[in-house]
C-alpha cells in the first residue's frame, strides 16, 4: 500500500512539473489615458492571422476606470503577437464608428500607431520570447 501511495505521489509531482514547464509566461498591459469610467476595456492578443479580423488568440477585459487600467494575458507561448485595446463605452463588443468611418471609441495597439488609417500588424507586432513582458498603451 505504501508503494502505491508513493508511486501515485511521484506521478502527481511529475505531471505537475511537466504542466509548469509547458505553460507560457505573462504579458501585462497598462492602458493609460482612459478618459472616463463606464463601459469595458477590451484587449486581444493577436497573431497576423487574427489582427483586425475579430477575436484574438487570447482576450481579456476589465471595467473601465478613468486614468489607467491594467490587463493581463497569462500562459502566453513564444511567438509574434500584437495587442489591440479599445474602450467599449456602451458594452456592445464592437468599435462604434461615425458616418465617415472614424472610430467613436478610444483604441490603441502595441508598437507605432498610424494616426491616418487603421493599425497594421507589422507596425504593432512584437516578439514574445516566453519571458514575462509589460507594455504601456496610451489612448
Amino acid at each position: 500500500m505504501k508503494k502505491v501511495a508513493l508511486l501515485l505521489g511521484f506521478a502527481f509531482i511529475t505531471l505537475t512539473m511537466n504542466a509548469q514547464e509547458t505553460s507560457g509566461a505573462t504579458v501585462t498591459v497598462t492602458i493609460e489615458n482612459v478618459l472616463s469610467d463606464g463601459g469595458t476595456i477590451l484587449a486581444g492578443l493577436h497573431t497576423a492571422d487574427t489582427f483586425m479580423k475579430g477575436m484574438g488568440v487570447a482576450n481579456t477585459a476589465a471595467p473601465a476606470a478613468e486614468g489607467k487600467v491594467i490587463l493581463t494575458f497569462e500562459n502566453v507561448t513564444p511567438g509574434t503577437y500584437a495587442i489591440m485595446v479599445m474602450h467599449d463605452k456602451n458594452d456592445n463588443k464592437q468599435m462604434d464608428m461615425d458616418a465617415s468611418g472614424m472610430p467613436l471609441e478610444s483604441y490603441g495597439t502595441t508598437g507605432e500607431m498610424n494616426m491616418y488609417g487603421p493599425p497594421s500588424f507589422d507596425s504593432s507586432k512584437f516578439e514574445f520570447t516566453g519571458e514575462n513582458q509589460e507594455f504601456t498603451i496610451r489612448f
Side-chain angles (χ1 to χ4, degrees), residues 2-74:
K2 287 182 182 179
K3 287 182 182 180
V4 171
L6 190 58
L7 287 174
L8 287 174
F10 282 131
F12 178 75
I13 290 170
T14 302
L15 289 173
T16 304
M17 288 172 43
N18 286 340
Q20 289 174 352
E21 289 174 14
T22 59
S23 64
T26 300
V27 177
T28 303
V29 184
T30 301
I31 298 94
E32 294 182 335
N33 199 32
V34 178
L35 298 177
S36 64
D37 295 336
T40 305
I41 304 297
L42 303 174
L45 181 70
H46 293 271
T47 63
D49 293 334
T50 64
F51 192 78
M52 296 289 290
K53 296 175 185 159
M55 300 292 280
V57 295
N59 301 282
T60 188
E66 187 174 344
K68 72 177 178 180
V69 173
I70 298 173
L71 297 169
T72 304
F73 296 97
E74 295 184 4

Side-chain angles (χ1 to χ4, degrees), residues 27-32 41-46 50-53 73 81-87 95 103 105-115 117-126 134-139:
V27 177
T28 303
V29 184
T30 301
I31 298 94
E32 294 182 335
I41 304 297
L42 303 174
L45 181 70
H46 293 271
T50 64
F51 192 78
M52 296 289 290
K53 296 175 185 159
F73 296 97
Y81 299 101
I83 297 172
M84 294 186 66
V85 297
M86 69 170 277
H87 184 176
M95 175 67 76
E105 297 172 308
S106 300
Y107 69 96
T109 68
T110 47
E112 298 289 322
M113 283 289 294
N114 177 2
M115 300 310 292
S120 72
F121 183 77
D122 284 339
S123 65
S124 302
K125 70 182 177 182
F126 62 93
E134 295 183 12
F135 293 96
T136 299
I137 297 174
R138 184 172 172 81
F139 282 154

